Amino acid sequence: MNPAEFMVNDKCIGCGKCIRVCPGGILYMGEDRRPRIKEFEEFGWNGCWQCEHCLAVCPEAAVSILHHRPEDSLPVPEPDTATPVMDALTASRRSCRRYQKRNVPRDVIEDMISRLANAPNGGNK
Ligand code: SF4
Ligand code: SF4
């Protein structure tokens, strides 16, 4: 049973990174040098943690899981670009206590949810 819909395409080079990073320990290398997923009954501690680390670390963008494909993932900024932005965000962060009386456009909310889904959270919920 593969409820996580773990799939590997032909770009896989058999490096094993997805297997080494899997916190649930449910990935293994098949005899054809392609990663496989063990059978599990439910998501969580004893199965797939839904962390998507396997998708994230694959150097060949060969892993799809939980119906998420590498080509649909947000690009990761280069460190040279990300560092000054992170510094600016950390230094200029403020709490908002006063709000405008107008609705936030739906596409803005959906974009924020998409980005926040990549932030650390409890149990990948
Ligand atoms: S999503 Fe996480 S726990 Fe599930 S197979 Fe991938 S690395 Fe392992
Ligand atoms: S990380 Fe990607 S290339 Fe490496 S074994 Fe896993 S699927 Fe194949």
Side-chain angles (χ1 to χ4, degrees), residues 44-67:
W45 201 254
N46 297 314
C48 174
W49 292 22
Q50 302 181 82
C51 62
E52 301 189 13
H53 290 341
C54 48
L55 184 158
V57 301
C58 178
E60 302 299 320
V63 174
S64 297
I65 190 158
L66 301 166
H67 303 289

Side-chain angles (χ1 to χ4, degrees), residues 1 5 21 33 36 38 48-49 54 62 64 66 69 71 89 91 94 107 116 122:
M1 195 175 171
E5 300 285 341
V21 80
R33 295 295 298 167
R36 302 262 190 280
K38 295 176 186 172
C48 174
W49 292 22
C54 48
S64 297
L66 301 166
R69 303 180 306 169
E71 55 268 37
L89 285 172
R94 297 289 180 274
D107 60 327
L116 289 171

Side-chain angles (χ1 to χ4, degrees), residues 42-114:
E42 57 189 36
F43 292 105
W45 201 254
N46 297 314
C48 174
W49 292 22
Q50 302 181 82
C51 62
E52 301 189 13
H53 290 341
C54 48
L55 184 158
V57 301
C58 178
E60 302 299 320
V63 174
S64 297
I65 190 158
L66 301 166
H67 303 289
H68 291 158
R69 303 180 306 169
E71 55 268 37
D72 297 331
S73 302
L74 292 172
V76 178
E78 293 297 323
D80 287 355
T81 311
T83 300
V85 173
M86 196 66 211
D87 286 348
L89 285 172
T90 306
S92 63
R93 182 204 61 81
R94 297 289 180 274
S95 295
C96 181
R97 295 283 184 265
R98 297 183 179 213
Y99 301 92
Q100 298 173 3
K101 289 199 175 195
R102 61 185 175 92
N103 292 329
V104 179
R106 186 177 188 88
D107 60 327
V108 172
I109 293 174
E110 287 175 349
D111 183 59
M112 289 166 63
I113 290 173
S114 167

